[in-house]
Amino acid sequence: MCGIVGYVGPRDAAPIILDGLARLEYRGYDSAGIAVQNGGGVQIRRDVGKLGNLRAKVAAQPIDGHIGIGHTRWATHGVPAERNAHPHISQDGLFVLVHNGIVENYLPLRDELTAEGVRFSSETDTEVIVHLIEKYARRIGTDTDQQVIEAARAAVSRLTGAHAIVVLPTHLPHLLIATRIGNAGGVIVGLGEGEHYIASDIPAILEHTRDMIYLEHRQMAVVRADGVGIQTLEGALIKAKVHHVAFDAVSAAKGEFKHFMQKEIFEQAKGITDTLAGRIDRDHARVHLHDLNLTDERARALRRIVSVACGTSYYSALVGKFYLEQFARVAVEVEYGSEYRYRDPMLDAETAVLAITQSGETVDTLAAMEYARSHGAAVWSIVNAVGSQAMRLADGFIGMNVGPEIGVASTKTFTASIVDQYLLAVALGTARGTLTEERRRCLVEDLAKLPDILRRTLALDPLIQALAGKLHAYTDFLYLGRGAQYPIALEGALKLKEISYIHAEGYPAGEMKHGPIALIDETMPVVAIALKDALYEKMISQIEQVKARGGRVIALATEGDPYIAGKADDVLYLPDCPDMLAPVMVSLPMQLLAYHIAVWRGTDVDQPRNLAKSVTVE
Ligand code: AGP
C-alpha cells in the first residue's frame, strides 16, 4: 500500500527517493510522485502506473536539490491519475505533502476550505491537509521553522482517521515535518551523518542507515540535515529510542529466481530451520520462546485465546487453532481483524489476543490489538517484519524469522506463522501440564524433521509446473480439505485468485454436498487434499462424488497410496509427514500450483493488480 520516502542532506535527493520508492514497490501501488526543492523552487513530477514511468519523466525533466519527498499511491479516494498522485501542493506553493491513510472527515473539511475560496485540483482526501496547513500558516506566520511546525500541528490535529504525513515547506528548504497519527503504516526516521531520511518502511532506507527512530501514535518529527527532534502532537519534546535494524538487505534480491514469490516458496525449507533456530531443545523436549514473556503462571491462568488476523494470516490462525486446542487444551476463537472490534467482543484478563501478521502493519489487525489492550486482555503477536508496530504493541511476540517477504502473495510467512503457533502450543501445553513428556518429545522430534520433508516436497516442482500447463486455461477451481487441511484448501484458493485472477473457492470437503456440488462438471477442476490421515476415507468418498458428476480431480496424496490413482485424474504424491505438520507441507504444492498457473497466464506474479503487501487502510 502507499509508501513514503523523504531525504534531507548534502546529496542529490531525487535518486535516493526514487530508489527508496523502488524498494517499496512490492507493497502495491498505482501511481507515484516526487517533489524536490532547490534554490529555484519546488519541482514536482508525478505519473500513473509503475515507477518506471515516473523515472522516465524525471530523466526527461531532471530535478535536482538536496531535500525532497516521494510517494507511491494506492488509490482510495479518486482514480489512479496524475492529478491524484502525491505530492500535493498548497495554493500559495509554500507546502508540499505526501500522506498515507484516510482523512475520514475530509468531506466537511473540503466544504469548509471550498467556502473559504480554496480550489481543489484532485479528488483525494489528502489534498485537504495541504490546504489546511496553508490556512493555519497564514494565521500563525510562515517565516520561521517554529511557525510552520505550529501550522502543521494545527492542521493535522483537525484530521480524524489514521495518518502518516510528511510536509516539505518549500520556502524553508532545510526542513521536513513528519507526523504519525494511529496506524496508517509506519513513520520511520533514518539517522545518517549530516543527512537524514524518512520512510514508511525500513527497506526503503536500509541501504543508507540501520539506525532508526519509529514514530509512535501522535508524534511529530522535525527533521533537518544536522538533527532530528521528536515531539508529541501537543509539542512536548521526547527522547526517542534509536533502534538498530539488523536484517539482511541482500536477502531482498531475487537471485537466480524469476520472481520473488518463486524464491520465497523455495526458501521455506531453510526458512523453517530459521524459525526453529534456538527455540527447540531436543534433549529436554522443550520449546523456548524468548520474546513472548510467557510465565508458567500466565500460561496456567489462560482460559481462552482469540487469534486475530486478515487474509492468509487468518488461514494460518485456523490451522493454529488445532495445535493450541489439542496441545494446550485452551479454547481458541479465530477472528478477522477487520470485523473484530465492531461487534463489542468479550475480553478479560484470562484471555490472550494473538495477532498474526507478516507485515506487522495491517491496520485492522493492529486495531484489534489496541481493542484487546484497552479491554484488559494480554496481547501477543506473531510477526515477520522486524520493528513493525505489531511487534512493538504486543506484550510479547514470536518472530517468524524468515527474512523479508517481497512477493505480495504470502508464502514463506504463512508456513512460518503456522510453525510459530505449533511452538506456542507446545510451550503452553508444557507449562499447563496438558502434554505428557512422551508426547512433547514426539512433537518436538516431528518439528525437527520438517525442513527435510519440505525440501523433498519442493522437488515436485517440475511435476507441478507440468500440471499447471494442463490447468491454466480453466476459469473456476474448487479446493477441498478436511480438518486442519481445510484452511490449506482456503489458502490454496486464495493464492490462485490473488496471482492468476482465476476464480477459486476453498471448502470443507464434507460441506460440498450442501451446495457447491451443483457447480461440479468437467469445466471446474477440484483440488482435493487426500493424505493418508484419519480423514482419508471420508476424503475419498468426496472425490467419488465429484467423479460421479463428471468433475476433474487433482489429488494431493501420500506417496505409496495404492488407490488414489484410480480415483483422481492427476495425483501429486507428497512425502510421508506427521499429521499435525502436514498442513505446512501441503501449503507448498498449493503455492507452486498457483505460481505456475499465474506464470502460464502471464500475470504480474510479484505485484498482482489491486493488491498491497501491507494493508494500511481500512
Ligand atoms: C496474502 O497472500 C495476502 N496478500 C493477504 O491476504 C495478507 O495475508 C493480508 O493482507 C494480511 O497481511 P499481514 O499478514 O501482513 O497482516
Side-chain angles (χ1 to χ4, degrees):
M1 210 148 263
C2 306
I4 288 176
V5 183
Y7 173 78
V8 55
R11 291 189 285 158
D12 228 0
I16 293 171
I17 293 167
L18 290 170
D19 289 350
L21 292 177
R23 294 190 194 284
L24 301 184
E25 274 197 293
Y26 71 94
R27 293 167 54 95
Y29 67 102
D30 43 50
S31 53
I34 181 170
V36 171
Q37 170 69 9
N38 66 17
V42 70
Q43 309 154 81
I44 300 178
R45 307 281 180 270
R46 305 184 292 188
D47 212 338
V48 288
K50 294 290 181 193
L51 203 55
N53 299 347
L54 179 66
R55 281 193 192 273
K57 232 175 198 177
V58 172
Q61 300 169 281
I63 49 181
D64 58 346
H66 304 292
I67 183 167
I69 52 179
H71 189 262
T72 46
R73 172 175 187 254
W74 188 85
T76 59
H77 298 58
V79 295
E82 189 181 334
R83 67 182 179 283
N84 290 329
H86 304 203
H88 290 285
I89 187 162
S90 59
Q91 292 196 133
D92 61 8
L94 294 190
F95 302 97
V96 286
L97 167 148
V98 291
H99 167 234
N100 292 351
I102 291 178
V103 182
E104 290 177 354
N105 58 337
Y106 92 102
L107 285 173
L109 291 173
R110 196 176 165 115
D111 287 349
E112 172 186 318
L113 290 161
T114 306
E116 290 166 8
V118 173
R119 282 239 153 75
F120 281 81
S121 55
S122 77
E123 293 103 58
T124 64
D125 54 332
T126 297
E127 198 184 341
V128 298
I129 311 173
V130 81
H131 296 312
L132 273 179
I133 297 176
E134 176 184 338
K135 167 176 167 162
Y136 287 109
R138 247 186 278 120
R139 283 188 202 162
I140 298 169
T142 55
D143 297 338
T144 66
D145 289 10
Q146 196 51 38
Q147 286 172 323
V148 165
I149 292 164
E150 291 310 326
R153 191 194 312 287
V156 300
S157 300
R158 302 259 338 257
L159 310 177
T160 59
H163 309 282
I165 299 166
V166 184
V167 185
L168 163 57
T170 61
H171 60 300
L172 301 170
H174 55 267
L175 176 68
L176 294 172
I177 306 162
T179 308
R180 183 185 149 204
I181 300 174
N183 295 316
V187 181
I188 297 162
V189 181
L191 308 178
E193 291 281 319
E195 57 186 349
H196 292 109
Y197 311 84
I198 299 174
S200 51
D201 300 84
I202 295 169
I205 52 176
L206 197 58
E207 71 173 291
H208 305 293
T209 178
R210 295 192 168 220
D211 294 323
M212 320 233 172
I213 294 172
Y214 307 134
L215 284 200
E216 301 293 344
H217 173 48
R218 295 184 67 80
Q219 289 185 352
M220 290 179 96
V222 175
V223 181
R224 304 179 181 90
D226 59 358
V228 173
I230 309 292
Q231 50 187 268
T232 65
L233 201 49
E234 290 69 38
L237 296 180
I238 293 169
K239 185 157 173 27
K241 185 170 170 209
V242 177
H243 299 258
H244 185 75
V245 177
F247 81 59
D248 182 7
V250 180
S251 62
K254 256 191 299 222
E256 81 230 45
F257 293 97
K258 196 166 168 209
H259 297 99
F260 280 110
M261 180 180 178
Q262 185 190 24
K263 171 179 177 257
E264 288 155 4
I265 293 171
F266 278 89
E267 276 173 356
Q268 287 173 103
K270 173 172 182 307
I272 296 300
T273 308
D274 293 343
T275 305
L276 297 178
R279 289 173 168 167
I280 53 175
D281 171 357
R282 293 172 73 180
D283 292 339
H284 303 95
R286 281 187 177 267
V287 162
H288 300 291
L289 297 171
H290 308 284
D291 299 311
L292 192 61
N293 303 321
L294 177 70
T295 60
D296 285 358
E297 197 188 2
R298 174 98 201 103
R300 281 195 288 268
L302 198 63
R303 294 278 161 270
R304 191 168 65 120
I305 292 177
V306 180
S307 299
V308 287
C310 299
T312 288
S313 293
Y314 176 85
Y315 298 148
S316 164
L318 292 179
V319 179
K321 176 179 165 78
F322 282 81
Y323 302 150
L324 292 160
E325 292 192 342
Q326 288 189 28
F327 305 169
R329 306 307 294 158
V330 57
V332 178
E333 291 160 30
V334 180
E335 300 275 357
Y336 281 113
S338 51
E339 292 291 327
Y340 188 59
R341 64 194 182 281
Y342 294 115
R343 60 170 180 72
D344 197 13
M346 293 187 297
L347 283 170
D348 54 40
E350 292 176 341
T351 301
V353 167
L354 175 64
I356 303 174
T357 164
Q358 67 78 24
S359 63
E361 300 290 350
T362 300
V363 71
D364 288 318
T365 305
L366 294 174
M369 291 174 79
E370 276 163 0
Y371 182 94
R373 158 78 26 83
S374 64
H375 286 74
V379 183
W380 295 333
S381 62
I382 292 181
V383 189
N384 194 44
V386 178
S388 60
Q389 294 187 64
M391 208 173 248
R392 289 181 282 131
L393 273 177
D395 300 315
F397 68 89
I398 310 174
M400 298 181 196
N401 298 352
V402 288
E405 186 176 73
I406 306 297
V408 163
S410 295
T411 52
K412 62 179 178 175
T413 58
F414 178 61
T415 48
S417 64
I418 294 174
V419 169
D420 275 353
Q421 290 172 90
Y422 185 105
L423 292 169
L424 174 62
V426 174
L428 285 173
T430 308
R432 290 162 68 83
T434 51
L435 288 174
T436 62
E437 194 187 331
E438 193 193 344
R439 174 98 164 109
R440 238 171 48 215
R441 196 162 289 284
C442 205
L443 291 173
V444 169
E445 286 309 310
D446 284 351
L447 261 184
K449 289 181 208 144
L450 188 58
D452 187 53
I453 293 171
L454 299 187
R455 223 163 274 125
R456 288 192 284 135
T457 307
L458 289 167
L460 296 172
D461 184 51
L463 294 177
I464 299 171
Q465 189 174 13
L467 184 59
K470 294 199 253 175
L471 297 174
H472 71 272
Y474 287 92
T475 54
D476 300 274
F477 280 69
L478 184 63
Y479 284 70
L480 298 178
R482 298 199 71 139
Q485 297 291 1
Y486 161 51
I488 305 305
L490 291 170
E491 172 61 5
L494 180 68
K495 284 286 90 81
L496 190 68
K497 275 186 269 215
E498 283 188 299
I499 59 170
S500 72
Y501 317 145
I502 293 174
H503 167 246
E505 282 189 56
Y507 241 82
E511 281 294 300
M512 185 184 65
K513 57 188 169 297
H514 298 291
I517 199 163
L519 298 170
I520 302 289
D521 64 15
E522 68 289 349
T523 65
M524 187 162 84
V526 176
V527 180
I529 306 170
L531 301 185
K532 274 277 189 189
D533 57 19
L535 294 167
Y536 174 73
E537 270 88 26
K538 312 260 178 218
M539 258 327 283
I540 293 295
S541 53
Q542 313 301 326
I543 290 174
E544 302 270 18
Q545 289 170 29
V546 174
K547 288 307 296 172
R549 281 150 189 90
R552 168 169 193 164
V553 175
I554 298 99
L556 277 67
T558 306
E559 59 193 6
D561 179 341
Y563 306 112
I564 193 81
K567 309 280 174 200
D569 299 271
D570 293 280
V571 182
L572 279 173
Y573 290 101
L574 306 179
D576 196 21
C577 180
D579 284 356
M580 292 308 277
L581 289 168
V584 178
M585 172 184 72
V586 179
S587 304
L588 275 49
M590 291 296 192
Q591 295 163 356
L592 284 168
L593 185 62
Y595 171 75
H596 287 300
I597 288 177
V599 171
W600 267 100
R601 292 170 76 98
T603 57
D604 189 346
V605 171
D606 282 334
Q607 291 169 37
R609 67 185 182 202
N610 304 337
L611 294 180
K613 185 67 184 163
S614 51
V615 180
T616 52
V617 295
E618 267 199 78

